[in-house]
Amino acid sequence: MNEITHAVIRMKAGVLAFVFALLGGFSLFIMTVLLLLKGGQNVGYHLNLLSNFYWGYEVTWFGSIVGFFYGALTGWAIGWIIGVIYNFIVTSRNPQS
Amino acid sequence: MFNGIEKNTPDSNIIIGAGPAGLTAGYELSKLGQKSTILEADKLVGGISRTVNYNGYRFDIGGHRFFSKVPYVNELWNEILDGQFLERSRLSRIHYHNHFFDYPLKISNALVGLGPVESFLVGLSYAKSKFSPTDEEKTFEQWISNRFGTRLFNIFFKNYTEKVWGIPCNEISADWAAQRIKNLSLSEAIRNAFVSNGTTKSGEKITSLIDKFHYPNLGPGMMWEACEGILNDFGSPTLKQQFVNRIFHKNGRVSHILTKNTRNEATEYSGSNFISTMPLKELIFSLDPAPPDEILKAAKLLRYRDYLTVVLMIDRPHVFPDNWIYIHTPEVKMGRIQNYKNWSPDMVPDSSKTSLGLEYFLWEKDEEWTWEDSRLIELGINECAALNLIQKNEVLEGTVVRMKKAYPVYDSNYHHCVELLRQYMGTFENLQTIGRNGLHRYNNQDHSMLTGVYAARNTEQLEYDVWAVNTEQEYHETDKATAKTGDRLVPTKIPEETPADGFNLEKKLKEQLKLIDSFAMGSAVGLVSGFLLFFATILLIIKSGQQNNPTLALLSNFLPGYKDTLPGALIGLFEVGIGSFSIAYLISSLMNWTFTLYLSIIKRNSEIEENKTILDKV
Ligand SMILES: Cc1cc2nc3c(=O)[nH]c(=O)nc-3n(C[C@H](O)[C@H](O)[C@H](O)COP(=O)(O)OP(=O)(O)OC[C@H]3O[C@@H](n4cnc5c(N)ncnc54)[C@H](O)[C@@H]3O)c2cc1C
């Protein structure tokens, strides 16, 4: 392959946090809604375990909204921390760039 | 001592030369409400962009396509000619050993034309260039041979380039060819990779110089004759056969100039602003008092390639369909043949006849330059017949036009010399040098015109840098105009001990190709995932105060040794950390690899496309 020199990308921690927040929020929301639609006995037994971490969350219609916020918050935090750590490592590995 | 007529022009602007630059300067001055006097050495206006009329047959010096990326120039062209342009499709093939080859080059067509044996040898030499290219890429020859193979280089690049420039290809720097792909826009290339309907971002149809161009129906001279007429009506006359040979100055200001006409009569013109388009070298030598020795020496070192065209009138309605043909056949001296009728049907007085312009690129010291016209016409007829383009008895008549200083030469001295002259010219308050030879720059009409526009505006105390025109690329990068570059590629000698520059495309790719640092991404994701599990486990332990909480226990199915205990949490941290690191590392590497591969393909394709049209810039 024709070799091409390149620069290393820097993350915008805020943007990454936002994307992760959307992903986290919607994932939990959709997962909860899907389980509710599926119905049956003992709806969302496993997902309900998240209430250990997310106070007020449960597999109900209201819980799906609460879950959206928790998911978004967690996603935001994860995205932001990944961005910050990634940039920190990139900077320490390429001090002059 | 001056004994001639004295003319105190009513206006204060004197323009030397009625080529595109000089006439545009006059035109722009008229827009500013200022009158001027244009002094032209020749009996025709238009300079190198003139159209000569010989018994009703019209022809250019070469062929002049009208194409510009400068909106103001397009506006001026349309204004002067009132939009009377023809839009022409371009056809210009390569003639080599009795075969015509498509241009831009197409491999399949080239192979058919070359025949099975030559094609096989071309294939071998191409394969050799791919498997064992020359390590060194200092010369034009090495650069092209490494990309196309030596045989294709000899057929499609060597002869024509050497005919035009008179320099052996192994003495021309590789930068010359590399420059071709310097200004490619990567974003355009990517866009073109997806959208192939030939439109711009705004949806307009792309009219590239490659396949279409504009042309006044009576040749480029029509533009400049129209401009002369408009200026004359305005009160800015063009005085012909007035050769400026002395420019008098004092304390950084030119006071007056002296011209001589064909009868050697002198006339003096005074004014307060002087704009010159005469060759920089001649301008320096006309200054009175003479500039310092160092400046005279620099001017003396400037060189020019000269050009002559033999025009043959042929008693046949159609000779070939091309606008022009590149003549690669080494046995003949001519470099190109123009078929003016194919530029515009109005270039011939009788549609049953054809006029062909055979182009010869020479140095003034070459013996052909001094040949009688009849001998040159005979050479032209013999060469055309040898190329099987015409029968000798079809030639009705012929004529010759010589154009001295058609191409400013960029040799190893020119850059330093032009820089010195530029600084020296900066010491004059009311004398500006502009245009192609005035700046010693390989400009097309549009950029020559733009220097005229700037010079005119400068008379109103505005500060346009005429030297910056057509150096935009460099201008922005260095914040300073240099004497380099132009519209076309001008070969330079190989620099001593300097390897060929990297291409700008490479730089552009470098700027745009920002890859993910896989290690950093792996580490960040690994750390975050590991600690997330760790803190979640600890939280559960604290919260429930008991162990064997089912919430995360299931994870032990995937993470051996993980439990909701403190040591278990540490094991989880380690295992999830390593696992996530590996996955993130792998995904980012894969993304990087795909992206790099994709850009490499685009880069390669762009290079191939550009190289196919390299003759356009010679
Ligand atoms: C073979 C060839 C093909 C070309 N093809 C194209 C093309 O396709 N498209 C394009 O846009 N451009 C093309 N060009 C470039 C174009 O011809 C020039 O850019 C343009 O003519 C330059 O204009 P100018 O006014 O700066 O100089 P010139 O055209 O050189 O005009 C200078 C004028 O000054 C006069 N002069 C010189 N010295 C004196 C003096 N001492 N006293 C009085 N008058 C003087 C000359 O007689 C001349 O009329 C081509 C050039 C060549 C050689």
Side-chain angles (χ1 to χ4, degrees), chain B residues 16-22 39-42 46-49 61-65 242-244 277-279 282 307 336 359 406-407 435-436 443-446 448 488:
Chain B
I16 307 172
L39 304 170
E40 168 56 50
D42 222 301
I48 307 173
S49 310
I61 308 303
H64 278 67
R65 284 175 281 170
Q242 293 291 322
F243 179 83
V244 174
T277 70
M278 61 198 273
E282 290 175 14
Y307 167 102
R336 247 178 350 204
E359 302 182 78
Y407 297 93
R436 179 169 160 118
N443 282 340
N444 273 342
Q445 286 178 99
D446 59 341
S448 306
R488 308 242 178 163

mmCIF file of all heavy atoms in Angstrom, chain B residues 16-22 39-42 46-49 61-65 242-244 277-279 282 307 336 359 406-407 435-436 443-446 448 488, ligand 1:
data_model
loop_
_atom_site.group_PDB
_atom_site.id
_atom_site.type_symbol
_atom_site.label_atom_id
_atom_site.label_comp_id
_atom_site.label_asym_id
_atom_site.label_seq_id
_atom_site.Cartn_x
_atom_site.Cartn_y
_atom_site.Cartn_z
ATOM 1 N N ILE B 16 3.048 51.172 -21.483
ATOM 2 C CA ILE B 16 3.932 50.634 -22.526
ATOM 3 C C ILE B 16 3.477 49.226 -22.880
ATOM 4 O O ILE B 16 3.521 48.322 -22.040
ATOM 5 C CB ILE B 16 5.402 50.622 -22.044
ATOM 6 C CG1 ILE B 16 5.811 52.016 -21.541
ATOM 7 C CG2 ILE B 16 6.328 50.114 -23.149
ATOM 8 C CD1 ILE B 16 7.166 52.058 -20.863
ATOM 9 N N GLY B 17 3.022 49.046 -24.119
ATOM 10 C CA GLY B 17 2.607 47.728 -24.593
ATOM 11 C C GLY B 17 1.097 47.592 -24.637
ATOM 12 O O GLY B 17 0.410 47.848 -23.648
ATOM 13 N N ALA B 18 0.573 47.177 -25.811
ATOM 14 C CA ALA B 18 -0.872 46.982 -25.950
ATOM 15 C C ALA B 18 -1.201 45.491 -26.034
ATOM 16 O O ALA B 18 -1.952 45.036 -26.875
ATOM 17 C CB ALA B 18 -1.390 47.731 -27.172
ATOM 18 N N GLY B 19 -0.581 44.724 -25.126
ATOM 19 C CA GLY B 19 -0.960 43.321 -24.958
ATOM 20 C C GLY B 19 -2.091 43.268 -23.940
ATOM 21 O O GLY B 19 -2.595 44.319 -23.504
ATOM 22 N N PRO B 20 -2.506 42.064 -23.526
ATOM 23 C CA PRO B 20 -3.593 41.955 -22.551
ATOM 24 C C PRO B 20 -3.343 42.763 -21.273
ATOM 25 O O PRO B 20 -4.253 43.429 -20.778
ATOM 26 C CB PRO B 20 -3.629 40.458 -22.245
ATOM 27 C CG PRO B 20 -3.118 39.818 -23.483
ATOM 28 C CD PRO B 20 -2.085 40.749 -24.029
ATOM 29 N N ALA B 21 -2.110 42.760 -20.775
ATOM 30 C CA ALA B 21 -1.853 43.466 -19.511
ATOM 31 C C ALA B 21 -1.993 44.974 -19.693
ATOM 32 O O ALA B 21 -2.669 45.652 -18.901
ATOM 33 C CB ALA B 21 -0.468 43.101 -18.981
ATOM 34 N N GLY B 22 -1.354 45.504 -20.740
ATOM 35 C CA GLY B 22 -1.375 46.954 -20.959
ATOM 36 C C GLY B 22 -2.775 47.453 -21.252
ATOM 37 O O GLY B 22 -3.231 48.453 -20.675
ATOM 38 N N LEU B 39 1.338 52.930 -25.661
ATOM 39 C CA LEU B 39 2.359 52.941 -26.706
ATOM 40 C C LEU B 39 2.726 51.514 -27.066
ATOM 41 O O LEU B 39 3.167 50.741 -26.209
ATOM 42 C CB LEU B 39 3.599 53.693 -26.203
ATOM 43 C CG LEU B 39 3.323 55.117 -25.727
ATOM 44 C CD1 LEU B 39 4.535 55.693 -25.019
ATOM 45 C CD2 LEU B 39 2.911 56.007 -26.906
ATOM 46 N N GLU B 40 2.516 51.159 -28.295
ATOM 47 C CA GLU B 40 2.736 49.782 -28.726
ATOM 48 C C GLU B 40 3.800 49.745 -29.817
ATOM 49 O O GLU B 40 3.720 50.481 -30.799
ATOM 50 C CB GLU B 40 1.408 49.171 -29.224
ATOM 51 C CG GLU B 40 1.524 47.855 -29.951
ATOM 52 C CD GLU B 40 2.230 46.758 -29.174
ATOM 53 O OE1 GLU B 40 1.876 46.523 -27.996
ATOM 54 O OE2 GLU B 40 3.162 46.139 -29.736
ATOM 55 N N ALA B 41 4.783 48.858 -29.652
ATOM 56 C CA ALA B 41 5.887 48.778 -30.611
ATOM 57 C C ALA B 41 5.424 48.218 -31.955
ATOM 58 O O ALA B 41 5.908 48.610 -33.008
ATOM 59 C CB ALA B 41 6.990 47.904 -30.028
ATOM 60 N N ASP B 42 4.465 47.311 -31.904
ATOM 61 C CA ASP B 42 4.046 46.601 -33.114
ATOM 62 C C ASP B 42 2.937 47.344 -33.861
ATOM 63 O O ASP B 42 2.414 48.334 -33.354
ATOM 64 C CB ASP B 42 3.529 45.223 -32.685
ATOM 65 C CG ASP B 42 4.019 44.160 -33.623
ATOM 66 O OD1 ASP B 42 3.720 44.269 -34.814
ATOM 67 O OD2 ASP B 42 4.723 43.241 -33.151
ATOM 68 N N GLY B 46 -2.583 43.267 -28.894
ATOM 69 C CA GLY B 46 -2.821 41.905 -28.387
ATOM 70 C C GLY B 46 -1.569 41.193 -27.925
ATOM 71 O O GLY B 46 -1.656 40.169 -27.257
ATOM 72 N N GLY B 47 -0.389 41.721 -28.299
ATOM 73 C CA GLY B 47 0.858 41.081 -27.866
ATOM 74 C C GLY B 47 0.904 39.627 -28.310
ATOM 75 O O GLY B 47 0.581 39.310 -29.462
ATOM 76 N N ILE B 48 1.250 38.740 -27.392
ATOM 77 C CA ILE B 48 1.318 37.311 -27.743
ATOM 78 C C ILE B 48 -0.101 36.789 -27.995
ATOM 79 O O ILE B 48 -0.297 35.784 -28.651
ATOM 80 C CB ILE B 48 1.997 36.495 -26.618
ATOM 81 C CG1 ILE B 48 3.356 37.094 -26.246
ATOM 82 C CG2 ILE B 48 2.195 35.042 -27.041
ATOM 83 C CD1 ILE B 48 4.016 36.455 -25.042
ATOM 84 N N SER B 49 -1.099 37.489 -27.446
ATOM 85 C CA SER B 49 -2.498 37.053 -27.633
ATOM 86 C C SER B 49 -3.148 37.725 -28.845
ATOM 87 O O SER B 49 -4.361 37.863 -28.897
ATOM 88 C CB SER B 49 -3.309 37.375 -26.374
ATOM 89 O OG SER B 49 -2.667 36.904 -25.240
ATOM 90 N N ILE B 61 -0.957 33.168 -32.028
ATOM 91 C CA ILE B 61 0.395 32.718 -31.685
ATOM 92 C C ILE B 61 0.147 31.512 -30.787
ATOM 93 O O ILE B 61 -0.092 31.647 -29.589
ATOM 94 C CB ILE B 61 1.147 33.828 -30.912
ATOM 95 C CG1 ILE B 61 1.091 35.142 -31.687
ATOM 96 C CG2 ILE B 61 2.566 33.416 -30.575
ATOM 97 C CD1 ILE B 61 1.630 35.096 -33.095
ATOM 98 N N GLY B 62 0.155 30.338 -31.371
ATOM 99 C CA GLY B 62 -0.311 29.155 -30.634
ATOM 100 C C GLY B 62 -1.819 29.194 -30.746
ATOM 101 O O GLY B 62 -2.368 29.655 -31.732
ATOM 102 N N GLY B 63 -2.495 28.708 -29.753
ATOM 103 C CA GLY B 63 -3.952 28.828 -29.737
ATOM 104 C C GLY B 63 -4.277 29.339 -28.350
ATOM 105 O O GLY B 63 -3.699 28.859 -27.384
ATOM 106 N N HIS B 64 -5.161 30.310 -28.275
ATOM 107 C CA HIS B 64 -5.419 30.911 -26.964
ATOM 108 C C HIS B 64 -6.794 30.543 -26.429
ATOM 109 O O HIS B 64 -7.808 31.069 -26.874
ATOM 110 C CB HIS B 64 -5.262 32.421 -27.035
ATOM 111 C CG HIS B 64 -3.847 32.852 -26.928
ATOM 112 N ND1 HIS B 64 -2.907 32.580 -27.895
ATOM 113 C CD2 HIS B 64 -3.195 33.519 -25.944
ATOM 114 C CE1 HIS B 64 -1.737 33.070 -27.520
ATOM 115 N NE2 HIS B 64 -1.885 33.647 -26.327
ATOM 116 N N ARG B 65 -6.774 29.647 -25.471
ATOM 117 C CA ARG B 65 -8.037 29.289 -24.811
ATOM 118 C C ARG B 65 -8.363 30.345 -23.774
ATOM 119 O O ARG B 65 -7.454 30.843 -23.092
ATOM 120 C CB ARG B 65 -7.887 27.933 -24.115
ATOM 121 C CG ARG B 65 -7.928 26.782 -25.071
ATOM 122 C CD ARG B 65 -7.660 25.482 -24.368
ATOM 123 N NE ARG B 65 -6.249 25.285 -24.112
ATOM 124 C CZ ARG B 65 -5.767 24.323 -23.342
ATOM 125 N NH1 ARG B 65 -6.577 23.494 -22.734
ATOM 126 N NH2 ARG B 65 -4.471 24.191 -23.171
ATOM 127 N N GLN B 242 5.295 52.428 -31.889
ATOM 128 C CA GLN B 242 6.016 53.343 -31.002
ATOM 129 C C GLN B 242 6.820 52.472 -30.044
ATOM 130 O O GLN B 242 6.306 51.985 -29.042
ATOM 131 C CB GLN B 242 5.037 54.220 -30.206
ATOM 132 C CG GLN B 242 4.246 55.198 -31.040
ATOM 133 C CD GLN B 242 5.140 56.301 -31.604
ATOM 134 O OE1 GLN B 242 6.070 56.777 -30.942
ATOM 135 N NE2 GLN B 242 4.884 56.707 -32.840
ATOM 136 N N PHE B 243 8.068 52.255 -30.390
ATOM 137 C CA PHE B 243 8.919 51.382 -29.586
ATOM 138 C C PHE B 243 9.593 52.208 -28.485
ATOM 139 O O PHE B 243 10.354 53.138 -28.773
ATOM 140 C CB PHE B 243 9.968 50.722 -30.497
ATOM 141 C CG PHE B 243 10.903 49.821 -29.759
ATOM 142 C CD1 PHE B 243 10.550 48.509 -29.473
ATOM 143 C CD2 PHE B 243 12.148 50.280 -29.327
ATOM 144 C CE1 PHE B 243 11.415 47.667 -28.782
ATOM 145 C CE2 PHE B 243 13.013 49.450 -28.635
ATOM 146 C CZ PHE B 243 12.640 48.140 -28.362
ATOM 147 N N VAL B 244 9.283 51.894 -27.243
ATOM 148 C CA VAL B 244 9.860 52.669 -26.130
ATOM 149 C C VAL B 244 11.301 52.224 -25.927
ATOM 150 O O VAL B 244 11.564 51.040 -25.695
ATOM 151 C CB VAL B 244 9.041 52.449 -24.841
ATOM 152 C CG1 VAL B 244 9.708 53.124 -23.651
ATOM 153 C CG2 VAL B 244 7.612 52.950 -25.026
ATOM 154 N N THR B 277 4.699 46.988 -19.761
ATOM 155 C CA THR B 277 4.537 45.543 -19.950
ATOM 156 C C THR B 277 5.674 45.020 -20.830
ATOM 157 O O THR B 277 5.635 43.889 -21.274
ATOM 158 C CB THR B 277 3.178 45.197 -20.601
ATOM 159 O OG1 THR B 277 3.192 45.633 -21.964
ATOM 160 C CG2 THR B 277 2.022 45.831 -19.884
ATOM 161 N N MET B 278 6.653 45.867 -21.104
ATOM 162 C CA MET B 278 7.767 45.386 -21.928
ATOM 163 C C MET B 278 8.598 44.406 -21.107
ATOM 164 O O MET B 278 8.526 44.411 -19.872
ATOM 165 C CB MET B 278 8.606 46.564 -22.452
ATOM 166 C CG MET B 278 9.261 47.427 -21.399
ATOM 167 S SD MET B 278 9.757 49.034 -22.076
ATOM 168 C CE MET B 278 11.368 48.659 -22.727
ATOM 169 N N PRO B 279 9.349 43.537 -21.752
ATOM 170 C CA PRO B 279 10.118 42.559 -20.976
ATOM 171 C C PRO B 279 10.992 43.249 -19.924
ATOM 172 O O PRO B 279 11.619 44.271 -20.198
ATOM 173 C CB PRO B 279 10.955 41.849 -22.036
ATOM 174 C CG PRO B 279 10.176 42.015 -23.302
ATOM 175 C CD PRO B 279 9.510 43.352 -23.191
ATOM 176 N N GLU B 282 14.424 44.326 -20.874
ATOM 177 C CA GLU B 282 14.522 45.512 -21.734
ATOM 178 C C GLU B 282 14.193 46.786 -20.966
ATOM 179 O O GLU B 282 14.796 47.834 -21.189
ATOM 180 C CB GLU B 282 13.578 45.377 -22.936
ATOM 181 C CG GLU B 282 14.064 44.328 -23.896
ATOM 182 C CD GLU B 282 13.087 44.088 -25.035
ATOM 183 O OE1 GLU B 282 12.165 44.901 -25.243
ATOM 184 O OE2 GLU B 282 13.255 43.050 -25.715
ATOM 185 N N TYR B 307 9.664 31.584 -30.266
ATOM 186 C CA TYR B 307 8.632 30.752 -30.863
ATOM 187 C C TYR B 307 8.351 31.241 -32.274
ATOM 188 O O TYR B 307 8.310 32.438 -32.506
ATOM 189 C CB TYR B 307 7.396 30.912 -29.975
ATOM 190 C CG TYR B 307 6.105 30.410 -30.526
ATOM 191 C CD1 TYR B 307 5.595 29.189 -30.107
ATOM 192 C CD2 TYR B 307 5.366 31.166 -31.431
ATOM 193 C CE1 TYR B 307 4.388 28.727 -30.604
ATOM 194 C CE2 TYR B 307 4.171 30.710 -31.919
ATOM 195 C CZ TYR B 307 3.679 29.487 -31.498
ATOM 196 O OH TYR B 307 2.487 29.029 -31.975
ATOM 197 N N ARG B 336 3.879 21.206 -32.251
ATOM 198 C CA ARG B 336 2.417 21.144 -32.240
ATOM 199 C C ARG B 336 1.894 21.645 -33.571
ATOM 200 O O ARG B 336 2.576 22.429 -34.238
ATOM 201 C CB ARG B 336 1.895 22.105 -31.158
ATOM 202 C CG ARG B 336 1.239 21.435 -29.997
ATOM 203 C CD ARG B 336 0.770 22.387 -28.921
ATOM 204 N NE ARG B 336 1.156 23.766 -28.977
ATOM 205 C CZ ARG B 336 1.199 24.559 -27.914
ATOM 206 N NH1 ARG B 336 0.882 24.077 -26.726
ATOM 207 N NH2 ARG B 336 1.533 25.816 -28.015
ATOM 208 N N GLU B 359 3.916 24.773 -35.099
ATOM 209 C CA GLU B 359 4.607 25.524 -34.044
ATOM 210 C C GLU B 359 6.015 24.990 -33.806
ATOM 211 O O GLU B 359 6.204 23.799 -33.587
ATOM 212 C CB GLU B 359 3.803 25.451 -32.744
ATOM 213 C CG GLU B 359 2.396 25.985 -32.895
ATOM 214 C CD GLU B 359 1.648 25.938 -31.584
ATOM 215 O OE1 GLU B 359 1.878 26.820 -30.737
ATOM 216 O OE2 GLU B 359 0.843 25.008 -31.390
ATOM 217 N N ALA B 406 8.668 34.529 -26.224
ATOM 218 C CA ALA B 406 7.326 33.990 -25.981
ATOM 219 C C ALA B 406 7.233 33.354 -24.598
ATOM 220 O O ALA B 406 6.177 33.377 -23.966
ATOM 221 C CB ALA B 406 6.973 32.963 -27.049
ATOM 222 N N TYR B 407 8.331 32.778 -24.155
ATOM 223 C CA TYR B 407 8.327 32.098 -22.854
ATOM 224 C C TYR B 407 9.464 32.616 -21.977
ATOM 225 O O TYR B 407 10.630 32.485 -22.352
ATOM 226 C CB TYR B 407 8.556 30.594 -23.030
ATOM 227 C CG TYR B 407 7.491 29.889 -23.818
ATOM 228 C CD1 TYR B 407 7.616 29.714 -25.196
ATOM 229 C CD2 TYR B 407 6.375 29.379 -23.180
ATOM 230 C CE1 TYR B 407 6.647 29.063 -25.921
ATOM 231 C CE2 TYR B 407 5.395 28.720 -23.901
ATOM 232 C CZ TYR B 407 5.533 28.560 -25.276
ATOM 233 O OH TYR B 407 4.571 27.908 -25.978
ATOM 234 N N GLY B 435 2.513 42.266 -16.274
ATOM 235 C CA GLY B 435 2.338 41.369 -17.428
ATOM 236 C C GLY B 435 3.277 40.182 -17.383
ATOM 237 O O GLY B 435 4.039 39.998 -16.441
ATOM 238 N N ARG B 436 3.214 39.406 -18.441
ATOM 239 C CA ARG B 436 3.953 38.139 -18.485
ATOM 240 C C ARG B 436 5.462 38.383 -18.480
ATOM 241 O O ARG B 436 6.163 37.995 -17.560
ATOM 242 C CB ARG B 436 3.519 37.392 -19.752
ATOM 243 C CG ARG B 436 4.197 36.069 -19.990
ATOM 244 C CD ARG B 436 3.452 35.395 -21.110
ATOM 245 N NE ARG B 436 4.170 34.356 -21.791
ATOM 246 C CZ ARG B 436 3.766 33.084 -21.812
ATOM 247 N NH1 ARG B 436 2.725 32.703 -21.118
ATOM 248 N NH2 ARG B 436 4.417 32.188 -22.511
ATOM 249 N N ASN B 443 2.707 33.525 -17.103
ATOM 250 C CA ASN B 443 1.275 33.762 -16.899
ATOM 251 C C ASN B 443 0.458 33.520 -18.153
ATOM 252 O O ASN B 443 0.928 33.780 -19.253
ATOM 253 C CB ASN B 443 1.052 35.239 -16.548
ATOM 254 C CG ASN B 443 1.384 35.548 -15.114
ATOM 255 O OD1 ASN B 443 1.433 34.665 -14.272
ATOM 256 N ND2 ASN B 443 1.621 36.817 -14.837
ATOM 257 N N ASN B 444 -0.772 33.125 -17.964
ATOM 258 C CA ASN B 444 -1.737 33.142 -19.064
ATOM 259 C C ASN B 444 -2.346 34.535 -19.140
ATOM 260 O O ASN B 444 -2.066 35.382 -18.288
ATOM 261 C CB ASN B 444 -2.827 32.105 -18.810
ATOM 262 C CG ASN B 444 -2.423 30.742 -19.350
ATOM 263 O OD1 ASN B 444 -1.517 30.647 -20.170
ATOM 264 N ND2 ASN B 444 -3.081 29.718 -18.881
ATOM 265 N N GLN B 445 -3.236 34.739 -20.107
ATOM 266 C CA GLN B 445 -3.850 36.063 -20.269
ATOM 267 C C GLN B 445 -4.488 36.573 -18.992
ATOM 268 O O GLN B 445 -4.343 37.737 -18.632
ATOM 269 C CB GLN B 445 -4.962 35.996 -21.310
ATOM 270 C CG GLN B 445 -4.514 35.891 -22.723
ATOM 271 C CD GLN B 445 -5.728 35.778 -23.633
ATOM 272 O OE1 GLN B 445 -6.155 36.755 -24.220
ATOM 273 N NE2 GLN B 445 -6.286 34.591 -23.738
ATOM 274 N N ASP B 446 -5.233 35.690 -18.317
ATOM 275 C CA ASP B 446 -6.014 36.162 -17.173
ATOM 276 C C ASP B 446 -5.139 36.768 -16.077
ATOM 277 O O ASP B 446 -5.427 37.832 -15.550
ATOM 278 C CB ASP B 446 -6.905 35.042 -16.618
ATOM 279 C CG ASP B 446 -6.149 33.814 -16.168
ATOM 280 O OD1 ASP B 446 -4.998 33.641 -16.597
ATOM 281 O OD2 ASP B 446 -6.703 33.026 -15.383
ATOM 282 N N SER B 448 -2.081 37.882 -16.476
ATOM 283 C CA SER B 448 -1.427 39.081 -17.012
ATOM 284 C C SER B 448 -2.393 40.252 -16.881
ATOM 285 O O SER B 448 -2.018 41.363 -16.500
ATOM 286 C CB SER B 448 -1.070 38.894 -18.484
ATOM 287 O OG SER B 448 -0.318 37.729 -18.658
ATOM 288 N N ARG B 488 1.571 27.921 -15.904
ATOM 289 C CA ARG B 488 2.001 26.683 -16.514
ATOM 290 C C ARG B 488 3.209 26.160 -15.757
ATOM 291 O O ARG B 488 3.754 26.826 -14.910
ATOM 292 C CB ARG B 488 2.413 26.942 -17.951
ATOM 293 C CG ARG B 488 1.357 27.680 -18.714
ATOM 294 C CD ARG B 488 0.873 26.868 -19.818
ATOM 295 N NE ARG B 488 -0.177 27.573 -20.531
ATOM 296 C CZ ARG B 488 -0.558 27.231 -21.730
ATOM 297 N NH1 ARG B 488 0.013 26.246 -22.342
ATOM 298 N NH2 ARG B 488 -1.531 27.878 -22.317
HETATM 299 C C1 LIG C 1 2.308 29.577 -27.548
HETATM 300 C C2 LIG C 1 1.513 30.284 -26.482
HETATM 301 C C3 LIG C 1 0.233 29.838 -26.167
HETATM 302 C C4 LIG C 1 -0.521 30.492 -25.192
HETATM 303 N N1 LIG C 1 -1.775 30.039 -24.927
HETATM 304 C C5 LIG C 1 -2.547 30.702 -24.038
HETATM 305 C C6 LIG C 1 -3.884 30.288 -23.803
HETATM 306 O O1 LIG C 1 -4.343 29.284 -24.348
HETATM 307 N N2 LIG C 1 -4.630 31.006 -22.934
HETATM 308 C C7 LIG C 1 -4.138 32.115 -22.306
HETATM 309 O O2 LIG C 1 -4.892 32.742 -21.556
HETATM 310 N N3 LIG C 1 -2.869 32.512 -22.480
HETATM 311 C C8 LIG C 1 -2.061 31.838 -23.337
HETATM 312 N N4 LIG C 1 -0.760 32.257 -23.547
HETATM 313 C C9 LIG C 1 -0.226 33.376 -22.753
HETATM 314 C C10 LIG C 1 -0.645 34.753 -23.270
HETATM 315 O O3 LIG C 1 -0.252 34.873 -24.592
HETATM 316 C C11 LIG C 1 0.050 35.808 -22.409
HETATM 317 O O4 LIG C 1 -0.207 35.581 -21.053
HETATM 318 C C12 LIG C 1 -0.395 37.233 -22.684
HETATM 319 O O5 LIG C 1 -0.355 37.562 -24.025
HETATM 320 C C13 LIG C 1 0.518 38.159 -21.895
HETATM 321 O O6 LIG C 1 0.070 39.484 -22.015
HETATM 322 P P1 LIG C 1 1.043 40.705 -21.688
HETATM 323 O O7 LIG C 1 0.321 41.932 -22.026
HETATM 324 O O8 LIG C 1 1.584 40.546 -20.340
HETATM 325 O O9 LIG C 1 2.303 40.516 -22.646
HETATM 326 P P2 LIG C 1 2.410 40.448 -24.205
HETATM 327 O O10 LIG C 1 1.317 39.661 -24.791
HETATM 328 O O11 LIG C 1 3.802 40.013 -24.458
HETATM 329 O O12 LIG C 1 2.242 41.959 -24.663
HETATM 330 C C14 LIG C 1 3.251 42.906 -24.470
HETATM 331 C C15 LIG C 1 3.092 43.998 -25.514
HETATM 332 O O13 LIG C 1 4.067 44.979 -25.265
HETATM 333 C C16 LIG C 1 4.668 45.386 -26.491
HETATM 334 N N5 LIG C 1 6.022 45.882 -26.213
HETATM 335 C C17 LIG C 1 7.088 45.161 -25.768
HETATM 336 N N6 LIG C 1 8.155 45.972 -25.658
HETATM 337 C C18 LIG C 1 7.764 47.211 -26.021
HETATM 338 C C19 LIG C 1 8.418 48.456 -26.097
HETATM 339 N N7 LIG C 1 9.703 48.580 -25.771
HETATM 340 N N8 LIG C 1 7.715 49.524 -26.508
HETATM 341 C C20 LIG C 1 6.393 49.422 -26.831
HETATM 342 N N9 LIG C 1 5.726 48.263 -26.781
HETATM 343 C C21 LIG C 1 6.404 47.159 -26.366
HETATM 344 C C22 LIG C 1 4.662 44.108 -27.320
HETATM 345 O O14 LIG C 1 4.754 44.395 -28.702
HETATM 346 C C23 LIG C 1 3.337 43.501 -26.926
HETATM 347 O O15 LIG C 1 2.308 43.932 -27.762
HETATM 348 C C24 LIG C 1 0.025 31.607 -24.508
HETATM 349 C C25 LIG C 1 1.317 32.036 -24.805
HETATM 350 C C26 LIG C 1 2.060 31.382 -25.778
HETATM 351 C C27 LIG C 1 3.447 31.844 -26.081
#
